[in-house]
């Protein structure tokens, strides 16, 4: 009899621990982007902000700060998205003992999607602007317009795309090495393709993959940007986000590499 009671107790304990203790605690993974937009439809602004700060002292002396924001508007005919992404880093130069800036980048983008009445279909207008102190450019910007729709819709996955022509413009820094008679300002045509894949991993975790490709049609540089992220809610409106960012430039300025990457862990506040 005692053995039977112990066995029942073990089975009940196993059943309790087999249930995810956060099953009803986290709503981030339970709601798709589409459902989130419906909840906030008509609001002036909603979205999330990310913060990351790393301070290292001792054998390595550095300070890194990352801020990112995603703001949305979901109106009757328009869905608008505004992004800001910044990175600032200072490292200690062992030779001189001085702190030197090793990364300083800020990026803005805005996109408006006009709903055409067909489910998930829209016409979009997109623009971005970026300043990167260590890119060899004063700034670069893109304007594009075209068509967007949902490529795939499943139980846990959805994939959206935007595609359309656009313009690219950049201005080289004053100290950039230019070939003879080469203009500091470059302008050309491009074709922009953007994909957004969202997967619900569990009741408290979501996987996102954003990919944008800008193929030059004027013999200038083509660009690729990939952002892979895993987001899991910690408490209330606070989530933890791990992100791998990869950027490729077919014709970088001066002696810069064609690619750079960034791995980060940030706290996300949703509102």
């Amino acid at each position: 009899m005692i053995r039977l009671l112990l066995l029942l107790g073990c089975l009940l304990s196993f059943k309790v621990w087999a249930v995810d203790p956060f099953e009803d605690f986290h709503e981030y993974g339970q709601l798709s982007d589409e459902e989130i937009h419906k909840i906030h439809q008509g609001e002036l602004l909603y979205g999330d902000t990310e913060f990351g700060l790393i301070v290292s002292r001792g054998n390595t002396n550095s300070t890194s700060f990352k801020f990112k924001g995603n703001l949305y508007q979901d109106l009757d005919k328009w869905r608008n998205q505004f992004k800001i992404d910044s990175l600032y880093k200072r490292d200690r130069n062992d030779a001189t003992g001085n702190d030197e800036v090793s990364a300083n980048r800020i990026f803005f983008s805005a996109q408006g999607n006009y709903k055409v009445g067909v489910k998930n279909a829209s016409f979009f207008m997109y623009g971005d602007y970026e300043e990167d102190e260590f890119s060899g450019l004063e700034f670069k910007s893109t304007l594009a317009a075209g068509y967007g729709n949902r490529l795939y819709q499943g139980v846990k996955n959805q994939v959206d795309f935007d595609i359309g022509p656009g313009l690219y413009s950049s201005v080289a820094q004053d100290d950039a090495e230019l070939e003879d008679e080469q203009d500091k300002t470059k302008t050309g045509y491009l074709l922009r393709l953007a994909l957004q894949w969202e997967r619900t991993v569990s009741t408290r975790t979501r996987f996102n993959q954003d990919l944008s490709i800008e193929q030059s049609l004027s013999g200038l540089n083509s660009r690729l940007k990939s952002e892979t992220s895993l987001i899991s809610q910690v408490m209330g409106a606070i989530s933890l986000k791990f992100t791998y960012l990869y950027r490729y430039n077919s014709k970088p300025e001066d002696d810069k590499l064609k690619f750079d990457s960034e791995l980060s862990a940030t706290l996300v506040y949703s509102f």
Side-chain angles (χ1 to χ4, degrees):
M1 183 66 178
I2 297 177
R3 291 181 178 179
L4 179 60
L5 290 175
L6 289 174
L7 179 60
L8 289 173
C10 291
L11 290 174
L12 289 173
S13 298
F14 177 79
K15 184 176 181 180
V16 170
W17 285 107
V19 176
D20 185 354
F22 297 98
E23 183 173 5
D24 297 323
F25 177 72
H26 178 61
E27 295 184 354
Y28 191 96
Q30 297 176 1
L31 299 177
S32 66
D33 275 345
E34 191 70 24
E35 292 170 325
I36 292 174
H37 292 320
K38 287 181 179 179
I39 292 174
H40 295 281
Q41 188 168 14
E43 294 183 11
L44 180 61
L45 286 175
Y46 63 95
D48 56 69
T49 55
E50 300 177 30
F51 302 91
L53 177 65
I54 301 175
V55 179
S56 301
R57 294 292 183 266
N59 293 324
T60 301
N61 294 277
S62 66
T63 302
S64 301
F65 175 76
K66 183 176 180 63
F67 172 78
K68 187 174 181 179
N70 292 289
L71 300 176
Y72 299 92
Q73 290 177 316
D74 200 335
L75 309 175
D76 289 338
K77 290 295 183 180
W78 286 93
R79 177 174 295 164
N80 305 316
Q81 182 179 15
F82 310 93
K83 290 185 178 182
I84 178 174
D85 189 356
S86 63
L87 174 66
Y88 181 81
K89 184 179 180 182
R90 295 180 67 91
D91 293 313
R92 178 67 57 85
N93 189 321
D94 295 332
T96 63
N98 297 324
D99 288 340
E100 298 178 354
V101 178
S102 56
N104 187 13
R105 184 182 75 243
I106 187 165
F107 171 87
F108 300 95
S109 72
Q111 179 165 328
N113 286 69
Y114 180 77
K115 306 170 188 177
V116 297
V118 181
K119 186 177 181 181
N120 299 318
S122 64
F123 293 110
F124 77 89
M125 293 185 294
Y126 171 86
D128 66 36
Y129 176 90
E130 182 178 64
E131 290 184 5
D132 188 341
E133 183 177 340
F134 298 92
S135 67
L137 297 173
E138 288 287 344
F139 73 87
K140 57 186 175 183
S141 62
T142 298
L143 290 174
Y147 174 76
N149 207 331
R150 180 150 296 165
L151 188 64
Y152 175 79
Q153 176 71 61
V155 177
K156 291 187 175 182
N157 296 276
Q158 63 183 41
V159 181
D160 296 323
F161 75 93
D162 294 321
I163 186 170
L167 294 171
Y168 167 80
S169 179
S170 67
V171 177
Q173 294 176 345
D174 293 335
D175 57 353
E177 296 181 3
L178 302 175
E179 297 180 1
D180 294 339
E181 299 182 357
Q182 187 176 6
D183 197 345
K184 286 180 56 177
T185 302
K186 295 180 181 179
T187 303
Y189 299 101
L190 58 82
L191 179 66
R192 174 179 169 83
L193 171 65
L195 293 172
Q196 303 88 37
W197 172 29
E198 175 191 317
R199 175 176 173 80
T200 300
V201 178
S202 69
T203 55
R204 62 190 181 99
T205 305
R206 178 189 293 181
F207 170 85
N208 286 343
Q209 173 64 59
D210 292 334
L211 177 68
S212 64
I213 301 172
E214 295 179 356
Q215 177 63 47
S216 175
L217 304 177
S218 304
L220 300 179
N221 56 321
S222 298
R223 298 184 294 170
L224 178 147
K225 182 178 180 180
S226 172
E227 182 177 299
T228 307
S229 56
L230 191 67
I231 312 103
S232 185
Q233 188 176 17
V234 177
M235 181 181 297
I238 306 298
S239 301
L240 182 62
K241 181 177 181 180
F242 297 95
T243 303
Y244 176 73
L245 177 65
Y246 177 86
R247 305 193 305 171
Y248 176 82
N249 185 349
S250 64
K251 296 180 180 180
E253 303 298 315
D254 299 337
D255 57 348
K256 309 298 181 182
L257 296 176
K258 289 186 176 182
F259 69 91
D260 63 85
S261 62
E262 176 187 316
L263 185 64
S264 63
T266 55
L267 288 176
V268 181
Y269 173 73
S270 302
F271 57 92

